[in-house]
Amino acid sequence: MKNIVYSCLVFMVLLSCEETFVKTLDVPDLDYQERLVFQSNFKSGQDTIVAYLSRTRYALDKTQPRDPVDDGNIRLYKDQLLIAEATAGMNGEYVLPNVDISLGNYNIEVFQSEFSEELKAETTIPEYVLPNSIEYREDGGIGPDFEESVSLLRVNFNDPPGENNYYKFSLLPINNPIVMDTFINQQDTFIYEREKYNIYLSSNEISAIESRGYIIIDDEAFDGQNHTTDIVFELYNNSDEDTDINDFKLDWAVLSEDQFQFEKRLSIYRDTDDFGPFAEPVSIYSNVENGIGIFAGQNQKLLDIE
Amino acid sequence: MKNSTLLCIATLLLIIISQKIIAQEYYTISGYITNAESGESLISANVFDGKTKSGTVSNLYGFYSVTLPKDSVYLSISYIGFEAQSLALYLDKDIDLNISLSNANTFDVVEITAASSTDSNIEESTQMSTVVVPIQQIKKMPALLGEVDVLKSLQLLPGVQSGGEGQSGLYVRGGSPDQNLILLDGVPVYNVNHLFGFFSVFNADAIKDVKLTKGGFPARYGGRLSSVLEINMKEGNNQKISGAGSIGLISSKLSLEGPIIKNKASFIVTGRRTYIDLIARPFVKRSFEREGLKGNTGYYFYDLNAKVNYKISDNDRLYLSAYSGDDRFYANTETNDSDTDIEKLETNLGWGNFTSAFRWNHKWSNKLFSNLTATYSKYKFSTLVGSGYEEFEQGELVNKDFYKADYSSGINDIALKYDFDFIPKPNHYVKFGAQAIRHSFNPGIFNLKIESIYEGETEFELDTLLGQSTVKALEYNAFIEDDFKISESTKINFGVHASGFSLDNTDYFSVQPRISIRQLLANKMALKASFSTMRQYVQFLTNEGLGLPTDLWLPTTERVLPQDSWQAAAGIAKNLGSGYELSVEAYYKWMKNIISYKEGASFFSLNPWEDLVTQGDGRSYGLEVFLQKKKGKFTGWLGYTLSKSERRFEDKNLGDWYPFKYDRTHDVSVVGVYELSDKINLSATWVYGTGNAVTLANSSASFTTNGGDFFSWYDYFNERNNFRYNAYHRLDVNVDFIKNRGNFKRVWSIGVYNAYSRNNPFYLNPENENVVNSEGVEERKTVLKQYSLFPIIPSISYRFEF
């Protein structure tokens, strides 16, 4: 009996080191298949549409650069009628000219010889919702995110009932000199354009999404109602000139469902980076059959602020 | 509401009709059934009249009541592992009869009672989806590091799964651990994890009885969607002082019990503590000193259970029980670069539960028994991080810069419950009662302290609280149920559970009908079916990973709705003879408003918690096969579950259904205990389960967000949980060497966890490493690594009883 006990104790001690408790094991490659990536986000009023075509990369191969595809064939249809075609791209960028983007259903077909199945996608340009009023107040109280006083833009509009509607807005400066900053990184030199004003936006909407200087809201909480959105903002003037609201227009757009989902997911994805493995994984929205990507439109106008 | 009204009316009608049908003269025999050696009450002991073939079982407090016609009565009183008693008497008046059963002189015979908490045979009970595992059985089964664990034993039952390697959490029929109502002496325990989930907080030496209900919930249960786990503490030996203890690899335990006043009052106290930190302290200290540091670091957990009971009279008994347990990790260091400068680093992580219950049992009559319970339960998690330096000149502090961030969250409950057992007729067993719970939620508070001294003057001082204040809510419920024997072959248990929740100006109310039916068929086979609806007001926000104490218990609010579920189950139960029993059950469960982090959200997000969560649906269905050997030298079971569990949230996976992380298509468990002799006991368990689902992007796509030439890569996956870990399987074995010397019994227990050292997956991690490609050139590549946690782990422990 004692021998058994001693043997077990020795065995246990030998095994009780950290290296033995944690072992690594290679796992076979994930089920990866190269696919085409298509992207085209277009707006009402455009006379050309730009589309991008590239290949996916294996998720674990972080070193592979973007792989643009220039020998694709892209056909654009409006209400089932062919309205434009692009047969060659440059660095993956295709220009579909002479189109008049307005209300309607749009779809694309993309052919590329290396991929047997053609890419397909469809979307719509939604009806525009013109605000009833856009009211500006220089003294908009104390902002929710900053402790200083802010300006207020109150936008009132009638949300169409019985359908999902999505609104995207921002303040755009007009007729102002642009500050050009040049940044140099390790790969290349590129120019970053910065407007004269830096604008910090916030909204009173609970589910508002902030994306690259824009705010996006959906109408889940006010479907079919008259609704007022308060946009508070703070202007930082980079020059010594006075800040003037007349230097701005309200960029007010109604998004298609596809455009909303795509922008929302990308925005969440970007915000998630800091949490690493502790964050819930984010699904990237795709409405492209036989590939990955987005084909989506929005109805957009620049509106005067009075 | 209409459903509940109909059910109540139906109950009353059935009682009235049955009373009219039975026009004979009836009398009642009632009393308590206890263990003759210890005085402990025996739960679910059988009382059976051979003449009328009628019977009952003792309740949670050993009370029984059986009403029989005026006639000769041949009572048989039995409890597994005890010598049965037979009594013959002529019943012409109500009789009070307390019965003491003695331990059987054979080896301990244990019985896993499936689908039956109230009857000895599986086909007799109305209730299905219920398992009672005797604590003696749990103690004989192999355990990780020799530490007997109640919850891990339950993971070996069909329909119950573990979350991952070594984890204590229970995933019952596709539900998550927060959907289990875990009651220790009737008090909810909110965090059942020690050592990040590798051990549970329940000390087997303090426990008398474990019962898990997975479905077909009787009306007395409520408040959670997936299961109810009742763990009852021992009451304490009221005959003599006795004790038990064990010395294991990571912890030691000691329990002591005995009479305060013989046959009147008794106590039990048990304690357990790990001692890795104590053993390692000198080594840690020496290691720190070599690095020029002062301080200490370590981890420990402890738990204490205590209970006293006092028998005022045959009609009144009082019980007072308490549990306290804590886990603590600490690391405090001081650096002395010079005699005048000190750098400090302070880290603390702790969590723990405290529960207490006061009970008053009262026998109003030989047909009416009541239990009044007042409980207090507290769970708290806290973490502290501090860092800074101090500078001294001639012994006086001149410069200081120090910050300390303390985060805490938790939940406190105060509850009052009054429930009754009413046995009006032999064919009715009515239970009814009501409960009110006052919840105090602390969703998370930061206490930030900053102190800065420059040249002897305080330059900056901050002591502030950030976060959400305590939220108080009231939860209340009432229930009534009847276990009605309609005929010799048909039994029905039906009832209604109504519950409500109030928080600020938000009120919720729910009526949950419950029904279970048993139909006896030929050849000792029973057909059973059940339907139950459940509602859960207490929300649990977790990352679904390790049993981290960072998980938050939160209330239902105006924005976050209560969770609901309904479950239907049907199956057969058959006594195969020779101690074998078989049950096969199929179930379908639908869950609504279950809570989860939104995509991209995490515990570290600073937004209010309601902004971080989304609510959606869950569904799970499956088939469970449970074959048991309940008697004899060899006992054990074979369990198999075929199941599917899915989730759907509007904000996740683009609104499509996806597999639950713990969806397990196949789950097999084999448990065997063989009593070789009265000195040697062998046991083994083998488990197999389909690997957990995990979300892994397999491709990346580049997109531009504002048009132009700047593209970013985004990882892409077709659906959440698109990848499966390798299958999990493991064999554990154990040998007990038992020796009795008079009243002293000692057991050497030698076990091996993961006997064939299977590399079971714990987590996957992408890592960069140099690999040689097909052209023989070494290149840097990202590969996916699977990490395993426990290889073969032998263990030894020493137990004793006196």
Side-chain angles (χ1 to χ4, degrees), chain A residues 1 4-5 8-9 11-12 15 20-27 30-32 35 37-39 52 54 56-60 62 64-66 206 212 262 264-266 268-270 272 275 278-286 292-293, chain B residues 249 559 597-602 604-605 651-654 695-708 711 713-718 720 723 737 748 750 759 764 766 782 784-794 796:
Chain A
M1 178 60 199
I4 294 171
V5 172
C8 285
L9 280 171
F11 190 40
M12 185 192 71
L15 290 176
T20 312
F21 274 71
V22 181
K23 284 187 176 179
T24 59
L25 195 71
D26 283 332
V27 172
L30 301 168
D31 183 23
Y32 171 68
R35 289 193 281 182
V37 181
F38 178 85
Q39 180 180 11
Y52 304 95
S54 61
T56 57
R57 74 177 181 193
Y58 182 43
L60 295 181
K62 301 292 184 192
Q64 187 187 325
R66 181 168 177 266
I206 291 171
R212 306 280 195 202
F262 180 72
K264 178 182 170 183
R265 300 286 159 180
L266 257 51
I268 296 170
Y269 187 102
R270 287 191 297 267
T272 302
F275 304 132
F278 293 101
E280 287 285 311
V282 180
S283 320
I284 299 298
Y285 182 77
S286 169
I292 297 172
Chain B
L249 290 177
R559 279 175 65 189
Y597 276 116
K598 281 181 182 171
E599 288 195 350
S602 93
F604 299 104
S605 309
D651 290 341
K652 295 176 96 165
N653 200 46
L654 306 175
T695 306
L696 288 176
N698 56 4
S699 55
S700 299
S702 60
F703 293 110
T704 177
T705 44
N706 285 337
F711 288 83
W713 286 103
Y714 294 87
D715 285 344
Y716 181 85
F717 49 85
N718 292 335
R720 286 178 68 87
F723 189 81
F737 298 96
W748 278 103
I750 296 169
N759 284 116
L764 297 173
T782 306
L784 202 59
K785 292 278 186 181
Q786 174 190 289
Y787 279 74
S788 301
L789 200 56
F790 296 136
I792 180 170
I793 301 178
I796 183 166

Side-chain angles (χ1 to χ4, degrees), chain B residues 1 476 478 496-501 508-513 533-537 562-564:
Chain B
M1 192 67 190
Y476 49 91
V496 64
H497 184 100
S499 67
F501 189 83
Y508 294 99
F509 186 75
S510 156
V511 176
Q512 302 144 48
T533 59
M534 301 289 272
R535 170 164 279 203
Q536 179 168 339
Y537 296 105
Q563 301 180 37
D564 288 300

Side-chain angles (χ1 to χ4, degrees), chain B residues 458-512:
Chain B
T458 300
E459 196 173 53
F460 183 74
E461 203 167 13
L462 178 73
D463 188 350
T464 187
L465 289 176
L466 303 167
Q468 296 162 75
S469 56
T470 302
V471 178
K472 292 189 188 303
L474 178 68
E475 184 177 348
Y476 49 91
N477 64 70
F479 68 89
I480 182 166
E481 66 174 74
D482 183 18
D483 200 58
F484 177 33
K485 190 172 182 179
I486 297 171
S487 69
E488 282 303 313
S489 61
T490 309
K491 262 171 98 175
I492 180 169
N493 183 300
F494 62 108
V496 64
H497 184 100
S499 67
F501 189 83
S502 292
L503 181 143
D504 298 331
N505 296 321
T506 309
D507 292 286
Y508 294 99
F509 186 75
S510 156
V511 176
Q512 302 144 48

